Amino acid sequence: MGITYGRLSSRPRTLGRWNLGYDRFGNNLTDIGGLGITYYRLGNRPRTFGQWTLEYDHLGSRLRRIGPYELGSDWHGNRLRTLGPLILHYGRFGNRPSQVEISDEYGSLPDDLLLALFLVLHMEAVEKERAGRRSIAGA
């Protein structure tokens, strides 16, 4: 499974056989493989993905659930560790996922879970990029 990127940007355009859609300004991911993503009116936080609702913590800053899949983070809460039956392992420096493991009960990765994983990792990447821009602007 591969990810292709736009020629003039670092924005993903396809995930395997699924097309990725963005809003007219190219800021928000609005579609993954035909499953629409809606956002809260004020902000960049997704509200739904296809028919699933996204649930956040009581402060609204950390994603806790996407549809039927619960998310788990590391102790500091800055890295996704689990998404439903998936366990994420990180590379040598701990900042990029390097491997995804699925529990034996599934056998193979369902498409909806793969697309949910992409959405969550994309959201993390966008947030890190925005935080970097804020720190540069504040310096």
Side-chain angles (χ1 to χ4, degrees):
M1 164 107 21
I3 298 173
T4 60
Y5 292 85
R7 231 189 302 179
L8 301 176
S9 74
S10 61
R11 184 171 290 114
R13 303 307 292 170
T14 64
L15 171 65
R17 68 178 190 268
W18 297 286
N19 289 321
L20 306 174
Y22 295 88
D23 64 10
R24 68 177 173 208
F25 300 111
N27 295 327
N28 291 324
L29 185 63
T30 58
D31 182 276
I32 302 176
L35 297 173
I37 301 166
T38 61
Y39 289 80
Y40 286 97
R41 195 163 34 127
L42 301 174
N44 299 318
R45 201 175 62 167
R47 182 176 49 173
T48 63
F49 174 53
Q51 62 184 2
W52 293 338
T53 301
L54 280 70
E55 296 176 21
Y56 295 85
D57 66 4
H58 64 280
L59 296 176
S61 61
R62 195 166 293 146
L63 185 61
R64 293 290 183 210
R65 177 177 290 278
I66 179 167
Y69 302 116
E70 189 171 336
L71 281 74
S73 298
D74 62 7
W75 189 73
H76 298 289
N78 60 351
R79 287 189 312 187
L80 178 68
R81 296 305 274 181
T82 61
L83 173 60
L86 300 179
I87 301 169
L88 281 76
H89 301 279
Y90 287 80
R92 185 179 201 173
F93 299 108
N95 60 348
R96 292 185 182 157
S98 63
Q99 185 178 4
V100 177
E101 184 180 328
I102 190 166
S103 65
D104 292 336
E105 67 189 56
Y106 274 78
S108 65
L109 184 62
D111 288 348
D112 63 349
L113 186 54
L114 172 67
L115 298 179
L117 175 62
F118 179 81
L119 174 61
V120 173
L121 292 175
H122 176 77
M123 289 170 59
E124 283 187 351
V126 166
E127 182 53 38
K128 285 179 185 175
E129 182 181 317
R130 288 181 181 144
R133 277 193 240 134
R134 284 191 299 265
S135 68
I136 290 171

mmCIF file of all heavy atoms in Angstrom, residues 45-79:
data_model
loop_
_atom_site.group_PDB
_atom_site.id
_atom_site.type_symbol
_atom_site.label_atom_id
_atom_site.label_comp_id
_atom_site.label_asym_id
_atom_site.label_seq_id
_atom_site.Cartn_x
_atom_site.Cartn_y
_atom_site.Cartn_z
ATOM 1 N N ARG A 45 -11.048 20.952 13.761
ATOM 2 C CA ARG A 45 -11.214 19.648 14.385
ATOM 3 C C ARG A 45 -12.329 18.866 13.704
ATOM 4 O O ARG A 45 -13.471 19.314 13.656
ATOM 5 C CB ARG A 45 -11.542 19.862 15.856
ATOM 6 C CG ARG A 45 -11.270 18.700 16.723
ATOM 7 C CD ARG A 45 -11.520 19.056 18.142
ATOM 8 N NE ARG A 45 -12.928 19.403 18.291
ATOM 9 C CZ ARG A 45 -13.541 19.534 19.431
ATOM 10 N NH1 ARG A 45 -12.888 19.393 20.539
ATOM 11 N NH2 ARG A 45 -14.815 19.830 19.478
ATOM 12 N N PRO A 46 -12.019 17.669 13.177
ATOM 13 C CA PRO A 46 -13.058 16.860 12.527
ATOM 14 C C PRO A 46 -14.143 16.442 13.512
ATOM 15 O O PRO A 46 -13.867 16.165 14.682
ATOM 16 C CB PRO A 46 -12.304 15.638 12.021
ATOM 17 C CG PRO A 46 -10.890 16.069 11.912
ATOM 18 C CD PRO A 46 -10.697 17.062 13.021
ATOM 19 N N ARG A 47 -15.371 16.400 13.020
ATOM 20 C CA ARG A 47 -16.525 15.997 13.825
ATOM 21 C C ARG A 47 -17.008 14.609 13.440
ATOM 22 O O ARG A 47 -17.352 13.807 14.282
ATOM 23 C CB ARG A 47 -17.641 17.020 13.648
ATOM 24 C CG ARG A 47 -18.862 16.734 14.471
ATOM 25 C CD ARG A 47 -19.879 17.816 14.338
ATOM 26 N NE ARG A 47 -20.090 18.122 12.927
ATOM 27 C CZ ARG A 47 -21.011 18.926 12.473
ATOM 28 N NH1 ARG A 47 -21.804 19.549 13.290
ATOM 29 N NH2 ARG A 47 -21.145 19.141 11.195
ATOM 30 N N THR A 48 -17.045 14.333 12.120
ATOM 31 C CA THR A 48 -17.473 13.019 11.654
ATOM 32 C C THR A 48 -16.545 12.531 10.550
ATOM 33 O O THR A 48 -15.916 13.320 9.846
ATOM 34 C CB THR A 48 -18.916 13.035 11.105
ATOM 35 O OG1 THR A 48 -18.974 13.879 9.960
ATOM 36 C CG2 THR A 48 -19.915 13.488 12.149
ATOM 37 N N PHE A 49 -16.525 11.219 10.413
ATOM 38 C CA PHE A 49 -15.786 10.556 9.339
ATOM 39 C C PHE A 49 -16.727 9.501 8.789
ATOM 40 O O PHE A 49 -17.001 8.503 9.456
ATOM 41 C CB PHE A 49 -14.497 9.939 9.873
ATOM 42 C CG PHE A 49 -13.747 9.122 8.860
ATOM 43 C CD1 PHE A 49 -13.417 9.664 7.629
ATOM 44 C CD2 PHE A 49 -13.369 7.830 9.137
ATOM 45 C CE1 PHE A 49 -12.717 8.915 6.691
ATOM 46 C CE2 PHE A 49 -12.664 7.080 8.205
ATOM 47 C CZ PHE A 49 -12.348 7.621 6.985
ATOM 48 N N GLY A 50 -17.253 9.756 7.583
ATOM 49 C CA GLY A 50 -18.291 8.873 7.062
ATOM 50 C C GLY A 50 -19.480 8.911 8.005
ATOM 51 O O GLY A 50 -19.945 9.974 8.380
ATOM 52 N N GLN A 51 -19.927 7.752 8.449
ATOM 53 C CA GLN A 51 -21.063 7.694 9.373
ATOM 54 C C GLN A 51 -20.620 7.721 10.838
ATOM 55 O O GLN A 51 -21.450 7.740 11.739
ATOM 56 C CB GLN A 51 -21.882 6.440 9.118
ATOM 57 C CG GLN A 51 -21.124 5.162 9.353
ATOM 58 C CD GLN A 51 -21.945 3.939 8.999
ATOM 59 O OE1 GLN A 51 -23.078 4.046 8.535
ATOM 60 N NE2 GLN A 51 -21.384 2.777 9.236
ATOM 61 N N TRP A 52 -19.324 7.744 11.095
ATOM 62 C CA TRP A 52 -18.816 7.686 12.455
ATOM 63 C C TRP A 52 -18.640 9.077 13.052
ATOM 64 O O TRP A 52 -18.227 10.014 12.387
ATOM 65 C CB TRP A 52 -17.461 7.003 12.505
ATOM 66 C CG TRP A 52 -17.491 5.557 12.154
ATOM 67 C CD1 TRP A 52 -18.554 4.710 12.203
ATOM 68 C CD2 TRP A 52 -16.393 4.786 11.705
ATOM 69 N NE1 TRP A 52 -18.173 3.458 11.823
ATOM 70 C CE2 TRP A 52 -16.856 3.474 11.506
ATOM 71 C CE3 TRP A 52 -15.056 5.059 11.459
ATOM 72 C CZ2 TRP A 52 -16.030 2.445 11.075
ATOM 73 C CZ3 TRP A 52 -14.233 4.047 11.033
ATOM 74 C CH2 TRP A 52 -14.723 2.747 10.853
ATOM 75 N N THR A 53 -18.881 9.158 14.348
ATOM 76 C CA THR A 53 -18.637 10.371 15.112
ATOM 77 C C THR A 53 -17.260 10.277 15.753
ATOM 78 O O THR A 53 -16.839 9.198 16.160
ATOM 79 C CB THR A 53 -19.706 10.527 16.211
ATOM 80 O OG1 THR A 53 -20.988 10.587 15.589
ATOM 81 C CG2 THR A 53 -19.497 11.779 17.025
ATOM 82 N N LEU A 54 -16.570 11.404 15.818
ATOM 83 C CA LEU A 54 -15.287 11.460 16.515
ATOM 84 C C LEU A 54 -15.529 12.041 17.892
ATOM 85 O O LEU A 54 -16.206 13.066 18.022
ATOM 86 C CB LEU A 54 -14.293 12.336 15.748
ATOM 87 C CG LEU A 54 -13.605 11.665 14.552
ATOM 88 C CD1 LEU A 54 -14.549 11.424 13.407
ATOM 89 C CD2 LEU A 54 -12.419 12.471 14.117
ATOM 90 N N GLU A 55 -15.009 11.382 18.911
ATOM 91 C CA GLU A 55 -15.193 11.824 20.289
ATOM 92 C C GLU A 55 -13.858 12.291 20.852
ATOM 93 O O GLU A 55 -12.843 11.626 20.664
ATOM 94 C CB GLU A 55 -15.749 10.689 21.150
ATOM 95 C CG GLU A 55 -17.128 10.234 20.727
ATOM 96 C CD GLU A 55 -17.611 9.040 21.531
ATOM 97 O OE1 GLU A 55 -17.093 8.810 22.651
ATOM 98 O OE2 GLU A 55 -18.495 8.333 21.027
ATOM 99 N N TYR A 56 -13.905 13.412 21.568
ATOM 100 C CA TYR A 56 -12.705 14.021 22.137
ATOM 101 C C TYR A 56 -12.779 13.997 23.655
ATOM 102 O O TYR A 56 -13.846 13.787 24.235
ATOM 103 C CB TYR A 56 -12.571 15.470 21.639
ATOM 104 C CG TYR A 56 -12.347 15.551 20.146
ATOM 105 C CD1 TYR A 56 -13.406 15.536 19.248
ATOM 106 C CD2 TYR A 56 -11.057 15.616 19.632
ATOM 107 C CE1 TYR A 56 -13.190 15.584 17.883
ATOM 108 C CE2 TYR A 56 -10.833 15.673 18.262
ATOM 109 C CZ TYR A 56 -11.907 15.659 17.398
ATOM 110 O OH TYR A 56 -11.691 15.710 16.039
ATOM 111 N N ASP A 57 -11.644 14.264 24.320
ATOM 112 C CA ASP A 57 -11.639 14.330 25.779
ATOM 113 C C ASP A 57 -12.448 15.531 26.244
ATOM 114 O O ASP A 57 -12.941 16.316 25.421
ATOM 115 C CB ASP A 57 -10.204 14.352 26.322
ATOM 116 C CG ASP A 57 -9.432 15.608 25.938
ATOM 117 O OD1 ASP A 57 -10.009 16.522 25.315
ATOM 118 O OD2 ASP A 57 -8.236 15.668 26.254
ATOM 119 N N HIS A 58 -12.594 15.678 27.562
ATOM 120 C CA HIS A 58 -13.450 16.739 28.093
ATOM 121 C C HIS A 58 -12.964 18.143 27.754
ATOM 122 O O HIS A 58 -13.752 19.075 27.739
ATOM 123 C CB HIS A 58 -13.646 16.577 29.603
ATOM 124 C CG HIS A 58 -12.386 16.729 30.390
ATOM 125 N ND1 HIS A 58 -11.454 15.725 30.513
ATOM 126 C CD2 HIS A 58 -11.899 17.777 31.095
ATOM 127 C CE1 HIS A 58 -10.456 16.142 31.255
ATOM 128 N NE2 HIS A 58 -10.685 17.378 31.617
ATOM 129 N N LEU A 59 -11.689 18.311 27.450
ATOM 130 C CA LEU A 59 -11.183 19.617 27.020
ATOM 131 C C LEU A 59 -11.324 19.814 25.513
ATOM 132 O O LEU A 59 -11.126 20.912 25.006
ATOM 133 C CB LEU A 59 -9.709 19.775 27.413
ATOM 134 C CG LEU A 59 -9.423 19.779 28.910
ATOM 135 C CD1 LEU A 59 -7.919 19.830 29.146
ATOM 136 C CD2 LEU A 59 -10.123 20.943 29.582
ATOM 137 N N GLY A 60 -11.620 18.725 24.813
ATOM 138 C CA GLY A 60 -11.790 18.802 23.369
ATOM 139 C C GLY A 60 -10.495 18.848 22.595
ATOM 140 O O GLY A 60 -10.487 19.154 21.408
ATOM 141 N N SER A 61 -9.398 18.532 23.253
ATOM 142 C CA SER A 61 -8.109 18.641 22.575
ATOM 143 C C SER A 61 -7.561 17.310 22.082
ATOM 144 O O SER A 61 -6.777 17.278 21.151
ATOM 145 C CB SER A 61 -7.088 19.298 23.508
ATOM 146 O OG SER A 61 -6.926 18.502 24.662
ATOM 147 N N ARG A 62 -7.959 16.219 22.695
ATOM 148 C CA ARG A 62 -7.393 14.915 22.345
ATOM 149 C C ARG A 62 -8.489 13.964 21.880
ATOM 150 O O ARG A 62 -9.487 13.772 22.553
ATOM 151 C CB ARG A 62 -6.683 14.331 23.559
ATOM 152 C CG ARG A 62 -5.793 13.189 23.202
ATOM 153 C CD ARG A 62 -4.853 12.838 24.309
ATOM 154 N NE ARG A 62 -3.901 13.935 24.510
ATOM 155 C CZ ARG A 62 -3.402 14.282 25.676
ATOM 156 N NH1 ARG A 62 -3.722 13.622 26.753
ATOM 157 N NH2 ARG A 62 -2.553 15.278 25.766
ATOM 158 N N LEU A 63 -8.273 13.377 20.715
ATOM 159 C CA LEU A 63 -9.223 12.422 20.152
ATOM 160 C C LEU A 63 -9.205 11.151 20.983
ATOM 161 O O LEU A 63 -8.138 10.611 21.282
ATOM 162 C CB LEU A 63 -8.854 12.121 18.696
ATOM 163 C CG LEU A 63 -9.788 11.237 17.905
ATOM 164 C CD1 LEU A 63 -11.181 11.837 17.789
ATOM 165 C CD2 LEU A 63 -9.207 10.977 16.522
ATOM 166 N N ARG A 64 -10.384 10.668 21.381
ATOM 167 C CA ARG A 64 -10.501 9.471 22.214
ATOM 168 C C ARG A 64 -11.130 8.290 21.486
ATOM 169 O O ARG A 64 -10.879 7.140 21.823
ATOM 170 C CB ARG A 64 -11.330 9.766 23.471
ATOM 171 C CG ARG A 64 -10.664 10.704 24.400
ATOM 172 C CD ARG A 64 -9.488 10.041 25.032
ATOM 173 N NE ARG A 64 -8.868 10.930 25.994
ATOM 174 C CZ ARG A 64 -7.599 10.903 26.278
ATOM 175 N NH1 ARG A 64 -6.800 10.070 25.676
ATOM 176 N NH2 ARG A 64 -7.092 11.725 27.148
ATOM 177 N N ARG A 65 -11.979 8.573 20.491
ATOM 178 C CA ARG A 65 -12.689 7.503 19.795
ATOM 179 C C ARG A 65 -13.066 7.976 18.405
ATOM 180 O O ARG A 65 -13.424 9.125 18.207
ATOM 181 C CB ARG A 65 -13.946 7.126 20.582
ATOM 182 C CG ARG A 65 -14.808 6.077 19.934
ATOM 183 C CD ARG A 65 -16.005 5.700 20.804
ATOM 184 N NE ARG A 65 -15.617 4.975 21.984
ATOM 185 C CZ ARG A 65 -15.358 3.674 22.033
ATOM 186 N NH1 ARG A 65 -15.450 2.951 20.943
ATOM 187 N NH2 ARG A 65 -15.012 3.094 23.156
ATOM 188 N N ILE A 66 -12.979 7.045 17.457
ATOM 189 C CA ILE A 66 -13.469 7.294 16.106
ATOM 190 C C ILE A 66 -14.381 6.124 15.771
ATOM 191 O O ILE A 66 -13.924 4.995 15.643
ATOM 192 C CB ILE A 66 -12.323 7.496 15.087
ATOM 193 C CG1 ILE A 66 -12.870 7.733 13.702
ATOM 194 C CG2 ILE A 66 -11.336 6.366 15.111
ATOM 195 C CD1 ILE A 66 -11.855 8.243 12.707
ATOM 196 N N GLY A 67 -15.672 6.415 15.711
ATOM 197 C CA GLY A 67 -16.653 5.358 15.493
ATOM 198 C C GLY A 67 -16.542 4.304 16.574
ATOM 199 O O GLY A 67 -16.504 4.626 17.762
ATOM 200 N N PRO A 68 -16.423 3.035 16.178
ATOM 201 C CA PRO A 68 -16.358 1.960 17.174
ATOM 202 C C PRO A 68 -14.965 1.752 17.764
ATOM 203 O O PRO A 68 -14.787 0.925 18.653
ATOM 204 C CB PRO A 68 -16.773 0.726 16.369
ATOM 205 C CG PRO A 68 -16.317 1.027 14.984
ATOM 206 C CD PRO A 68 -16.503 2.518 14.814
ATOM 207 N N TYR A 69 -13.979 2.508 17.307
ATOM 208 C CA TYR A 69 -12.592 2.263 17.695
ATOM 209 C C TYR A 69 -12.107 3.273 18.731
ATOM 210 O O TYR A 69 -12.115 4.477 18.506
ATOM 211 C CB TYR A 69 -11.674 2.323 16.471
ATOM 212 C CG TYR A 69 -12.059 1.345 15.399
ATOM 213 C CD1 TYR A 69 -12.476 1.783 14.146
ATOM 214 C CD2 TYR A 69 -12.018 -0.031 15.633
ATOM 215 C CE1 TYR A 69 -12.831 0.881 13.152
ATOM 216 C CE2 TYR A 69 -12.377 -0.933 14.650
ATOM 217 C CZ TYR A 69 -12.783 -0.473 13.413
ATOM 218 O OH TYR A 69 -13.142 -1.372 12.439
ATOM 219 N N GLU A 70 -11.649 2.749 19.858
ATOM 220 C CA GLU A 70 -11.081 3.578 20.910
ATOM 221 C C GLU A 70 -9.601 3.815 20.626
ATOM 222 O O GLU A 70 -8.916 2.935 20.114
ATOM 223 C CB GLU A 70 -11.244 2.874 22.255
ATOM 224 C CG GLU A 70 -10.887 3.743 23.427
ATOM 225 C CD GLU A 70 -11.256 3.091 24.750
ATOM 226 O OE1 GLU A 70 -12.146 2.233 24.766
ATOM 227 O OE2 GLU A 70 -10.633 3.462 25.750
ATOM 228 N N LEU A 71 -9.130 5.009 20.945
ATOM 229 C CA LEU A 71 -7.728 5.359 20.759
ATOM 230 C C LEU A 71 -7.011 5.342 22.101
ATOM 231 O O LEU A 71 -7.583 5.737 23.112
ATOM 232 C CB LEU A 71 -7.581 6.760 20.165
ATOM 233 C CG LEU A 71 -7.818 6.899 18.670
ATOM 234 C CD1 LEU A 71 -9.278 6.809 18.334
ATOM 235 C CD2 LEU A 71 -7.252 8.189 18.176
ATOM 236 N N GLY A 72 -5.772 4.899 22.093
ATOM 237 C CA GLY A 72 -4.930 4.935 23.283
ATOM 238 C C GLY A 72 -3.639 5.654 22.963
ATOM 239 O O GLY A 72 -3.071 5.484 21.888
ATOM 240 N N SER A 73 -3.175 6.458 23.902
ATOM 241 C CA SER A 73 -1.942 7.228 23.714
ATOM 242 C C SER A 73 -0.888 6.749 24.689
ATOM 243 O O SER A 73 -1.191 6.055 25.662
ATOM 244 C CB SER A 73 -2.197 8.715 23.951
ATOM 245 O OG SER A 73 -3.127 9.202 23.027
ATOM 246 N N ASP A 74 0.354 7.175 24.456
ATOM 247 C CA ASP A 74 1.409 6.861 25.418
ATOM 248 C C ASP A 74 1.182 7.682 26.678
ATOM 249 O O ASP A 74 0.245 8.470 26.770
ATOM 250 C CB ASP A 74 2.793 7.095 24.802
ATOM 251 C CG ASP A 74 3.050 8.526 24.404
ATOM 252 O OD1 ASP A 74 2.218 9.405 24.703
ATOM 253 O OD2 ASP A 74 4.085 8.779 23.783
ATOM 254 N N TRP A 75 2.061 7.494 27.637
ATOM 255 C CA TRP A 75 1.888 8.107 28.947
ATOM 256 C C TRP A 75 1.772 9.628 28.882
ATOM 257 O O TRP A 75 0.998 10.239 29.576
ATOM 258 C CB TRP A 75 3.056 7.701 29.849
ATOM 259 C CG TRP A 75 2.854 8.114 31.256
ATOM 260 C CD1 TRP A 75 1.989 7.568 32.162
ATOM 261 C CD2 TRP A 75 3.515 9.175 31.932
ATOM 262 N NE1 TRP A 75 2.075 8.218 33.356
ATOM 263 C CE2 TRP A 75 3.015 9.219 33.234
ATOM 264 C CE3 TRP A 75 4.488 10.093 31.556
ATOM 265 C CZ2 TRP A 75 3.453 10.134 34.178
ATOM 266 C CZ3 TRP A 75 4.913 11.005 32.491
ATOM 267 C CH2 TRP A 75 4.396 11.014 33.785
ATOM 268 N N HIS A 76 2.523 10.243 27.985
ATOM 269 C CA HIS A 76 2.486 11.700 27.853
ATOM 270 C C HIS A 76 1.314 12.172 26.997
ATOM 271 O O HIS A 76 1.019 13.354 26.957
ATOM 272 C CB HIS A 76 3.795 12.217 27.239
ATOM 273 C CG HIS A 76 4.981 11.921 28.076
ATOM 274 N ND1 HIS A 76 5.231 12.547 29.262
ATOM 275 C CD2 HIS A 76 5.992 11.032 27.915
ATOM 276 C CE1 HIS A 76 6.339 12.077 29.797
ATOM 277 N NE2 HIS A 76 6.826 11.149 28.995
ATOM 278 N N GLY A 77 0.694 11.248 26.306
ATOM 279 C CA GLY A 77 -0.452 11.599 25.478
ATOM 280 C C GLY A 77 -0.107 12.231 24.154
ATOM 281 O O GLY A 77 -0.974 12.761 23.476
ATOM 282 N N ASN A 78 1.163 12.174 23.748
ATOM 283 C CA ASN A 78 1.538 12.849 22.507
ATOM 284 C C ASN A 78 1.700 11.904 21.325
ATOM 285 O O ASN A 78 1.938 12.364 20.224
ATOM 286 C CB ASN A 78 2.805 13.679 22.717
ATOM 287 C CG ASN A 78 3.981 12.830 23.157
ATOM 288 O OD1 ASN A 78 3.819 11.655 23.468
ATOM 289 N ND2 ASN A 78 5.147 13.423 23.203
ATOM 290 N N ARG A 79 1.591 10.580 21.543
ATOM 291 C CA ARG A 79 1.693 9.630 20.434
ATOM 292 C C ARG A 79 0.579 8.609 20.518
ATOM 293 O O ARG A 79 0.301 8.074 21.583
ATOM 294 C CB ARG A 79 3.023 8.871 20.477
ATOM 295 C CG ARG A 79 4.209 9.653 20.096
ATOM 296 C CD ARG A 79 5.415 8.777 19.952
ATOM 297 N NE ARG A 79 5.536 7.888 21.123
ATOM 298 C CZ ARG A 79 6.577 7.108 21.332
ATOM 299 N NH1 ARG A 79 7.569 7.080 20.498
ATOM 300 N NH2 ARG A 79 6.635 6.339 22.396
#
